[in-house]
Amino acid sequence: MKSFFYLIGLLFVVNFLPSCKDMESTYEDFVVPGGLIYTGKPENPSVHPGYNRVEISWIKSSDPSVTSARVFWNNYQDSVLVNIPEEGSSVNVFINDLPEKFYSFFIKTYDDEGNSSIPTEVLGTVYGEKYRSGLLNRPIVSSEMNESGKIFLEWGTADVSGGAFAVDIFYLDSNGEKVIERFDIEDETTEMDGDLDKEYFFQTAYLPDSMAIDVFYTDPEPLKIQNINITNKYLKNAKRPFLRTDDWDGSRYGILQDWIITDNVKNKPGGYGGYDNLNEGHSFGVERWSTEAAIVNGKIYQTFTLPAGNYQCVFSFGSDNPGVGNTGNDPRYIVVAAGNTLPDVENINTALASVSLVGVGTNDSRTIEFSINESTGISLGLLVNFTSTRQNIRGNQFQLFQIN
């Protein structure tokens, strides 16, 4: 009988022991023989670098007694207390106003009895002005703005290995706020809408580390468009199909709209000139036949004021123009002059710039460049001395560029 009760008791002990072990399994990792108790350590701690700050994060310990933590640095001289949230599986703490350098942080967790974990070390870098001031802005190889205000940029090599990931182009609105467009660092070219009346800047954005919490920017630089098409800002009716006034011969010749035309250019019956619709080309044109009076110092031009700067004027004939022409060898020039008119042919050397169109093919163009040191009234256009028979010129467009 005694053996029976002994056997029953032994079976009870054997079956009870596993359940007791399950109950204690949550705590046994934190109990040290001799009576010392250590709370659970942070798991997978990491440092997220920022601008004179860091974010330190870790996975909450499985120890349910942990209620707080403290992060130490500078050999335990500085620290910050962290309350462990009941919800969520991770802990995040920001440490601000840190000098720029490499850090060794130590994290210890605590329970309500003051027991702590063994310190856990995690390493990271704080970045600041020294790092930021050494960043390189992505260079611009070429830049231009077309007559519609579209900006086209070709970029140089960016410091991708140093963390460059984007370029911001921005301007300041009337309230001084940035209006920004961001472009990926992998883009070799950029196209964007522009406005001649706005001043643009650009800066390169960097992340020093894939885990960084702050973006670092180079100093902004003015976006100097090297080649700005300012035709539409200063010239009117400068491109084929050229416009004429309502008064014309109903077929071919008319008065060119928006241009100043000397009377000797208006040599067609009815007093028309400057507009030539040969083959429905709607061309900018001057023509003289042997039965017509000589055109001495004939001028077609516009006047406007330009600010100080460097400029380029292009006159094109154009293969797409069915009425294009450049016949004869009498003097003909594209001229840019200071003042409210063009000089005469004998005084062509007084112009800011000029180029002869004699012999230029009808698929070609000619360019002149000029500079002014202050805001100046400008006259730009065509100057001819047609005194021989069969002289004509019928062109496609004028373009005016500001060159930086």
Side-chain angles (χ1 to χ4, degrees):
M1 189 67 172
K2 183 181 291 186
S3 297
F4 173 77
F5 285 110
Y6 177 80
L7 178 60
I8 294 298
L10 181 61
L11 290 172
F12 174 79
V13 171
V14 170
N15 288 310
F16 179 73
L17 283 175
S19 63
C20 291
K21 185 173 182 63
D22 290 342
M23 293 171 62
E24 295 176 357
S25 63
T26 303
Y27 295 92
E28 67 178 358
D29 294 337
F30 315 116
V31 179
V32 177
L36 295 178
I37 298 176
Y38 289 95
T39 54
K41 296 192 303 181
E43 298 179 15
N44 299 323
S46 59
V47 175
H48 306 267
Y51 195 103
N52 292 127
R53 64 174 186 160
V54 293
E55 179 189 15
I56 298 178
S57 63
W58 64 86
I59 304 299
K60 288 168 62 175
S61 168
S62 59
D63 181 358
S65 70
V66 172
T67 57
S68 65
R70 188 171 286 274
V71 180
F72 299 87
W73 67 96
N74 287 343
N75 293 321
Y76 287 88
Q77 296 181 51
D78 298 302
S79 67
V80 62
L81 179 65
V82 183
N83 292 318
I84 304 300
E86 294 182 4
E87 303 297 327
S89 60
S90 63
V91 181
N92 301 77
V93 56
F94 288 90
I95 305 176
N96 300 314
D97 302 320
L98 292 174
E100 182 177 9
K101 65 177 183 178
F102 182 80
Y103 284 83
S104 176
F105 297 98
F106 291 91
I107 309 168
K108 295 175 69 174
T109 63
Y110 298 86
D111 62 18
D112 288 336
E113 303 300 323
N115 298 306
S116 69
S117 67
I118 297 172
T120 299
E121 184 180 22
V122 61
L123 306 175
T125 300
V126 171
Y127 296 89
E129 186 57 25
K130 182 179 180 181
Y131 166 77
R132 193 208 67 79
S133 63
L135 300 178
L136 300 175
N137 216 356
R138 187 177 189 182
I140 295 175
V141 175
S142 65
S143 58
E144 65 179 57
M145 179 185 287
N146 69 13
E147 58 195 300
S148 300
K150 281 281 189 186
I151 295 175
F152 300 90
L153 303 174
E154 180 183 353
W155 297 102
T157 301
D159 185 15
V160 177
S161 62
F165 72 93
V167 176
D168 289 348
I169 298 177
F170 66 91
Y171 65 89
L172 302 180
D173 65 16
S174 58
N175 296 318
E177 299 292 329
K178 282 185 180 181
V179 180
I180 302 174
E181 285 195 57
R182 172 162 287 186
F183 300 94
D184 192 271
I185 208 69
E186 299 297 328
D187 295 342
E188 296 181 356
T189 60
T190 290
E191 177 182 334
M192 61 179 289
D193 291 327
D195 187 331
L196 284 173
D197 295 324
K198 289 183 173 63
E199 184 178 8
Y200 291 88
F201 300 85
F202 72 104
Q203 58 188 157
T204 305
Y206 281 77
L207 285 174
D209 186 298
S210 61
M211 298 176 67
I213 56 175
D214 293 318
V215 176
F216 293 76
Y217 296 93
T218 60
D219 291 329
E221 293 184 37
L223 179 57
K224 294 293 187 182
I225 307 298
Q226 299 164 352
N227 194 352
I228 307 174
N229 190 324
I230 56 175
T231 308
N232 290 346
K233 185 172 183 178
Y234 293 102
L235 286 173
K236 299 178 181 179
N237 192 26
K239 183 178 181 180
R240 175 182 172 271
F242 285 91
L243 303 177
R244 53 168 175 74
T245 63
D246 292 336
D247 184 20
W248 72 309
D249 67 6
S251 174
R252 178 171 173 180
Y253 300 108
I255 304 295
L256 194 65
Q257 184 174 300
D258 300 312
W259 292 78
I260 300 169
I261 306 172
T262 55
D263 288 340
N264 56 358
V265 171
K266 302 173 186 177
N267 61 348
K268 298 303 176 183
Y272 300 119
Y275 170 86
D276 191 336
N277 195 36
L278 178 65
N279 297 325
E280 297 187 355
H282 305 282
S283 304
F284 172 102
V286 180
E287 185 177 74
R288 179 193 180 260
W289 299 114
S290 57
T291 57
E292 297 168 340
I295 303 175
V296 178
N297 293 315
K299 302 169 185 178
I300 307 177
Y301 62 99
Q302 293 187 33
T303 61
F304 47 88
T305 299
L306 287 177
N310 303 311
Y311 297 92
Q312 184 182 84
C313 175
V314 180
F315 178 76
S316 304
F317 286 94
S319 59
D320 64 329
N321 185 346
V324 69
N326 189 29
T327 303
N329 295 309
D330 282 358
R332 62 202 69 193
Y333 300 92
I334 295 300
V335 184
V336 175
N340 59 4
T341 189
L342 300 182
D344 292 342
V345 171
E346 57 267 29
N347 298 319
I348 192 71
N349 61 337
T350 66
L352 291 172
S354 65
V355 63
S356 173
L357 298 176
V358 173
V360 177
T362 54
N363 293 332
D364 293 333
S365 64
R366 283 295 181 267
T367 299
I368 53 177
E369 297 183 352
F370 62 98
S371 299
I372 51 178
N373 296 323
E374 59 184 3
S375 180
T376 305
I378 296 293
S379 293
L380 182 155
L382 178 69
L383 168 65
V384 303
N385 261 4
F386 284 177
T387 58
S388 304
T389 186
R390 194 173 173 77
Q391 304 292 316
N392 66 66
I393 184 169
R394 287 183 292 274
N396 214 43
Q397 72 172 332
F398 285 86
Q399 292 176 292
L400 182 63
F401 298 90
Q402 183 174 351
I403 308 300
N404 291 314

